[in-house]
Amino acid sequence: MKIEKEFKIINELGIHARVAVKIVEIANSYTSSLLMRKGDREVDAKNILSILSLGCQKGDLVTFKANGDDAKQLMERLNLFFNEEIHRIEEDIKKGWKD
Amino acid sequence: MERLKGIPASQGIVIGKAHVIDRSSIHFFYHYLIKEEQVKREIERFKDAIDKTREQIERLKENLPENLKSYSYILDSHLLILKDKMFIDAAVETIEKDKINAEWALSRAVKNIEKVFDEIKDEYIKERYLDVKAVADRIMRNLSGYTEDDLSNITQRVIIVAHDLSPVDTSEMDIGKVMGFITDVGGKTSHTSIMAQALNIPAVVGLKVATIRINDGDLIIVDGYSGEVIISPDDSTILAYQEKELNYKIYESRVLKESKKPAFTLDGHRINVMANIEFLEEVVTAKDYGAEGIGLYRTEFHYLRSKGLPNEEELFEDYREVAQLIYPSSVVIRTLDLGGDKFASHISFTEEINPALGLRAIRLCLQQPHIFKTQLRAILRASAYGNIKLMFPMISGVKEIMGAREILQETSQELEREGIEYDKSLKVGIMIEIPSAVMIADILARYVDFFSIGTNDLIQYALAIDRINEQISFMYQPYHPSLIRMLFEVVQAASRQGIEISLCGEMAGDPLCIPLLLGLGITDLSMNPANIPIVKSLIRAMSMEDARRDLENIMDMETAEEVKDYLYDKMSPLLPKPVLERLNG
């Protein structure tokens, strides 16, 4: 199954290292392939440097393309991540900076 | 003896042996071509180095000290970089295709990644290239058979001298053996500075040439107050610094001990010294520092989290607790002072080019009355349990006060109908932080019970300076004559109308500003809790009469520099050297 979904990057720091680590972890726990596109560049989302190299900032639109048996589950997982978990990561970072 | 000057990053003085972390030597390695039959072996060698690197990082992760646990994601990202196709697979391919040795292939792969990251506009993400470098350095060390692990091998107590330190580097150290940190690069907010402060270890950063001038084993003095580093000091210098540190410690404990008592000037005027806080938990620390009330309770915290908007009940509990903890003193609760961008996920919002001048604070609250009402209800309900004052931020004119008051009245009536108790004589005030509010302070004073001057924003708006912008932040000047005149006008307007006035910007905690503020007649000051002890000690050493004369002199001055020099001359006899150095830095 092929699924495509667009996400808006809403967190302050964009897709930084901590977020990228999480995306790769998620991508690797499913068998489907996962591509990530910003503008005219499309990269393998199982690869951390490729993700970082897109330089996604707050407000950017990125499209994920999952292809495989568990594509639907993978996309649902990503949905949860971008809508909720990403904020927690950011809060942790901010706390770290404050301390 | 040689002196270097850097940026003070974490306070305190240490004297000890330097431990220089020099990674530059590793970068001299040979580039050579290999023969077809060597390719397989070369790839093996490269993969062995990677495996070894992975094991090292995994071990580091397991042994991460508790206070650095939040940095473990950096190690996770390093582990992923070790598996990265753009990086590792690319290097292997180059060994195969171009028949070059592993070191050469690795450095080429790093260069290619550098090129890609160079095109990224976002500075923060761009910096992630440094993680690739860190991983590559480690692989390189393993390839070259360079086994000595600099950081974990520290056996005696030393001062770490490095070009730069990452949290990972720090995690490798036995922190108990580290007396201080100094680095060539970095600023007040760099990782090294934040870590050193968290670990309570003196540090100086941005020394540029520390790793060049200092040799391993050199005796050095690190002065985390002034940002000075002295290499091979003579005996009298060592003694002088030991004395300096001791004196400061004595000074600190003395002012802290007296801080619980109220502060009177020499001629008997009581000055109220209060604290600015952001979290409920800070109330206790504020009291420990000697705060006589909370002059500013920032309420943004509850709105910055991910779960959606806070509900009335949790806000009420929080406000009630603050009010009870600080009782019988008062707490000034400032309503939401956020821009829409900060909680975009909960309300609709369009992107703004200039958020500082955009839809935020009271403007947002008046446009989204349901959000505002929830907070007002919580504050009103909590007002039955202590001494609460209500304050609206970012007021630019009368209409906003009327709008806010109208919603406040509706809310009070609701509570009334529901039979819920609240303080019916709740004092309502506004922040004076927009130049327009200064100009019409006499009018605004008719509509409120008190003013609180927020100098941080007022300076920014009055001088048109974004203090975060490093290129112009030097122009952010609390001593600017225009600002002093503004403060003067606001105080006059408040006193003519007979309303209370306080000041809650960073200026209130700036030792140099105390005579200025007293001279203006501002007797309620609210500041960062840690500044309270020193401010109280200064108040006790000054007279109101002197301060008024100082103000007269200052009002005639033409530049911020002139004002600052005058205040510095006036205050320096009352302040210990480390504080003066910080004020000059």
Side-chain angles (χ1 to χ4, degrees), chain A residues 8 10 12-18 20-22 24-25 28 41 44 46-59 83-84 87-88 91-99, chain B residues 70-71 73 76-78 80-87 113 116-117 120-125 128 131-132 191 194 197-198 278-279 282 301 304-307 341-342 344-345 349 351:
Chain A
K8 186 171 184 183
I10 48 175
E12 205 67 37
L13 297 170
I15 296 193
H16 47 80
R18 213 186 285 214
V21 166
K22 203 66 207 168
V24 177
E25 270 176 27
N28 279 334
R41 278 197 61 209
D44 183 352
K46 297 198 172 188
N47 215 18
I48 186 167
L49 293 178
S50 310
I51 295 179
L52 289 173
S53 73
L54 289 178
C56 299
Q57 288 168 289
K58 185 182 172 184
N83 284 323
E84 288 181 23
H87 291 288
R88 266 207 300 281
E91 273 169 28
D92 280 351
I93 293 177
K94 280 185 183 148
K95 249 183 257 157
W97 284 354
K98 249 191 115 66
D99 293 343
Chain B
S70 56
Y71 292 107
Y73 77 94
D76 286 332
S77 74
H78 287 189
L80 287 175
I81 289 169
L82 273 180
K83 284 194 243 171
D84 200 275
K85 287 182 203 152
M86 259 172 92
F87 182 40
I113 291 167
V116 176
F117 275 72
I120 297 176
K121 283 192 215 83
D122 187 308
E123 287 300 322
Y124 186 78
I125 297 171
R128 293 313 104 203
D131 287 314
V132 179
H191 272 316
I194 293 164
Q197 284 162 24
E278 197 172 352
F279 310 104
E282 288 175 288
F301 171 69
L304 287 170
R305 53 173 201 177
S306 52
K307 278 186 294 182
D341 56 330
K342 290 287 182 342
S345 47
F349 137 86
E351 199 150 335

Side-chain angles (χ1 to χ4, degrees), chain B residues 351-365:
Chain B
E351 199 150 335
E352 295 180 326
I353 296 174
N354 211 337
L357 306 179
L359 178 63
R360 47 175 288 217
I362 198 70
R363 304 167 181 181
L364 182 78
C365 287

Side-chain angles (χ1 to χ4, degrees), chain B residues 360-375:
Chain B
R360 47 175 288 217
I362 198 70
R363 304 167 181 181
L364 182 78
C365 287
L366 293 175
Q367 275 196 24
Q368 307 272 343
H370 63 285
I371 298 178
F372 196 33
K373 257 191 166 166
T374 306
Q375 189 179 28

Side-chain angles (χ1 to χ4, degrees), chain B residues 147-173:
Chain B
T147 49
E148 190 202 354
D149 207 342
D150 260 331
L151 299 166
S152 52
N153 274 0
I154 302 171
T155 50
Q156 56 185 126
R157 289 189 29 94
V158 290
I159 297 166
I160 302 290
V161 181
H163 183 70
D164 193 13
L165 282 172
S166 71
V168 183
D169 292 326
T170 330
S171 67
E172 287 182 59
M173 296 173 197

Side-chain angles (χ1 to χ4, degrees), chain B residues 60 122 136 194 212 221 255 280 335 381 400 412 417 433 446 486 492 580:
Chain B
L60 277 175
D122 187 308
I194 293 164
I212 299 169
I221 300 176
V255 294
L280 168 66
T335 59
R381 283 174 59 195
E400 286 146 347
S412 318
R417 276 198 300 276
E433 53 187 337
R446 297 173 201 147
M486 286 193 197
Q492 297 308 310
L580 290 174

